[in-house]
Amino acid sequence: MALIQEKTYTIDDIYALPEGQRAELIDGKIYNMAPPMRIHQKLVSQFTQIIGQYIKSHHGGCEVYPAPFAVFLNADDKNYVEPDISVICDKNKLDDRGCNGAPDWIIEIVSPSTEQVDYGIKLFKYRSAGVREYWIINPRTRVVNVFDFENEKASCQYSFDDTIPVCIYQDLSIYISDLL
């Protein structure tokens, strides 16, 4: 008996989605994205402002992009993600379509529909693609998991009431309770 094969999707399939429908593509599998909740959007906005202001005030060369922003993690047509926040320090990775390669810092804000993907599939994918730092922010539990892939440190877990140090910027810390 032959095994049933799942279809492998490509970036062309993502771009062929009906207007307004958002999805990500990881290893040829499509993950549909539900519209974000208000707290999700508020955190994306606040983080984008804080990180952008930090970069500007330090005359940094990195750029911060909120979703929807295309990130082509690998040099293939089977991986396309839209992290909630992407910080890219190598301008050679940027073109009119988005980011080609791994951003330096990715922040994902967990929604009920994305929890398994953010904590599992994306954690592995971002690490193997070369992301330096990955934050998973869960508004429901008020917990932040910080992964410092660059220094191979174990993940740290923080609450929204902790001051959370940013790994790629030694002098930047964020206190999420102030953002709500």
Side-chain angles (χ1 to χ4, degrees), residues 142 158-163 175-177:
R142 297 179 55 89
Y158 300 92
S159 84
F160 280 23
D161 297 319
D162 293 325
T163 300
Y175 183 71
I176 295 177
S177 286

Side-chain angles (χ1 to χ4, degrees), residues 26-147:
I26 301 174
D27 296 328
K29 184 173 179 183
I30 289 183
Y31 296 88
N32 289 309
M33 299 167 66
M37 297 178 72
R38 186 188 63 81
I39 187 72
H40 180 281
Q41 290 303 94
K42 184 173 185 175
L43 286 170
V44 167
S45 176
Q46 294 288 338
F47 269 96
T48 301
Q49 288 177 32
I50 289 168
I51 297 165
Q53 184 57 43
Y54 173 85
I55 292 168
K56 183 177 180 180
S57 69
H58 286 77
H59 308 288
C62 302
E63 295 186 20
V64 59
Y65 293 93
F69 179 72
V71 174
F72 305 92
L73 282 175
N74 304 95
D76 63 26
D77 66 347
K78 294 180 182 41
N79 288 283
Y80 167 96
V81 292
E82 292 183 6
D84 291 317
I85 299 171
S86 301
V87 177
I88 298 107
C89 299
D90 180 355
K91 297 223 172 80
N92 292 322
K93 291 182 179 180
L94 297 170
D95 64 18
D96 288 340
R97 291 184 349 150
C99 177
N100 297 291
D104 293 270
W105 180 17
I106 287 177
I107 298 173
E108 293 284 10
I109 298 163
V110 175
S111 299
S113 64
T114 66
E115 203 162 334
Q116 281 188 318
V117 175
D118 292 338
Y119 285 105
I121 296 166
K122 284 185 177 179
L123 174 63
F124 173 78
K125 196 67 182 171
Y126 290 162
R127 181 182 187 133
S128 62
V131 171
R132 294 168 55 198
E133 181 170 359
Y134 177 39
W135 286 26
I136 304 172
I137 300 173
N138 191 325
R140 184 181 51 78
T141 61
R142 297 179 55 89
V143 170
V144 180
N145 291 82
V146 174
F147 298 89

